[in-house]
Structure formats: structure tokens, C-alpha cells
Amino acid sequence: MKGLLLKDFYLVRAALVLILVTYAVIGVGMSIVVDPWIMVIIGAVMFGIMSASTITMDKSYGWRKLAATLPVSKETTVDSKYLLYLLFSVLGFVVGVAISLIICAVKPDLMPANDMIRIYLSSAAAMALFSGGVQIPGNFLLSDEKAMITLIVAYPLFTGIFVAVARLTEDTILTCNIVLALAVVVFAVSWIVSRKIIAARDIQ
């Protein structure tokens, strides 16, 4: 598992540094026109997408043929992708929080109410988990072109679910909690099903 995670990290290492710098610059610029805490959502989603892209890279670099010669189970390969997604999403989440706090420290008037911060944090976690639960199996099973569709569809679908729950509850905090719980379930079910179905289809 550790070897697979390191392999994927080396694949995106150069891009990771560039994204971190770009993300920080964009965060400072966006703070002028929008709430800086939106960067938490952007960070969690953006870093998660980057980790999911390693599946496409594996296809391009012929990882399947190499992996067939290694003592690594298909289930472990699938597990490594989900774990990497979680790690990168958490990294984006933490970096987003750090940037938001720095901006608000420089400009205290930009600090939103505690309830709004909770909404941003909850939404960031929910969006990252939900999209990951959709993207990862899509990247494994579909061609690169079709896999891109899962990326495009995941966010409007998440938004639609959020709006539907919001209309039912008419309570923003409760809506965020329900959607977050749903996102956790989607990600967990996606992981479990992927271990059984994707691994069985010789994704390596």
C-alpha cells in the first residue's frame, strides 16, 4: 500500500507544487471579490481531482502490465486510490483553511459568522467525498473521454441533491449535515463496490 501511494505521489509531485502556488495566488486574488472561505471548497475538490487523475496516468503509462508482475492484489490497488483521494482532499481542505485564516487575519472584516464557516467546511467535505465516490470508479471503468463525463456530472448532481434537501428541511445547517452524511455513505459504498466489481474486472 505504501509503495502504491508513493508511486502516485511521484506521478503528481511536480504538478502538486505548481497547484499549491497557483492556489495560494488565486486565493489572495479571489478574496477581493468573494468570501475567502470559498477556498476551502475549491481546495478540497481541486486536490481530490488531482489524485483521481493518477488512475488515468496509470492507463497511459502502462501500469496494468507492470502491476501484473507485482505481488499487489487488485483490491489493494483500488484501496490505494481511495486512500490517496482522501489524503489529497484533506490536504486541499487544510490548505484552504490556512489560506482563509491568513486572509481573515490580514482583513478581519472578511471573517464570516461561525455558522457560515461551518457551512463552508461541511460543504467542502461533502462535495469532495461525493465527487470522489463518482469519479474514482468512473476513471477505473470508463475510457478517458467518458470518465471526464463523470467529473462533469458529479458536481451538478451534488448541487441538485443539496437544493432538494434544502427545500425539504428549510434549514441550511441541517441541510449541510444531511448532505455530508449522504456524501460519506456514497464514498463508502463506492469504495466497497469498487473493491468487488472493479477489481474483479482486472482493472490493473
Side-chain angles (χ1 to χ4, degrees), residues 121-158:
L121 297 180
S122 177
S123 297
M127 187 173 292
L129 289 172
F130 184 88
S131 61
V134 175
Q135 288 178 55
I136 296 175
N139 285 350
F140 269 125
L141 291 171
L142 305 175
S143 64
D144 294 348
E145 294 77 13
K146 292 181 180 179
M148 184 60 66
I149 297 176
T150 63
L151 175 62
I152 297 173
V153 169
Y155 301 109
L157 179 59
F158 174 84

Side-chain angles (χ1 to χ4, degrees), residues 100-188:
S100 300
L101 288 174
I102 291 172
I103 293 173
C104 290
V106 175
K107 296 183 177 180
D109 56 303
L110 294 179
M111 179 66 78
N114 289 336
D115 282 350
M116 283 303 302
I117 293 177
R118 289 174 58 191
I119 291 172
Y120 280 122
L121 297 180
S122 177
S123 297
M127 187 173 292
L129 289 172
F130 184 88
S131 61
V134 175
Q135 288 178 55
I136 296 175
N139 285 350
F140 269 125
L141 291 171
L142 305 175
S143 64
D144 294 348
E145 294 77 13
K146 292 181 180 179
M148 184 60 66
I149 297 176
T150 63
L151 175 62
I152 297 173
V153 169
Y155 301 109
L157 179 59
F158 174 84
T159 301
I161 293 173
F162 189 95
V163 171
V165 175
R167 289 184 175 180
L168 290 174
T169 63
E170 297 184 352
D171 184 318
T172 305
I173 298 296
L174 178 59
T175 296
C176 289
N177 292 336
I178 292 174
V179 173
L180 176 57
L182 176 62
V184 170
V185 171
V186 169
F187 191 84

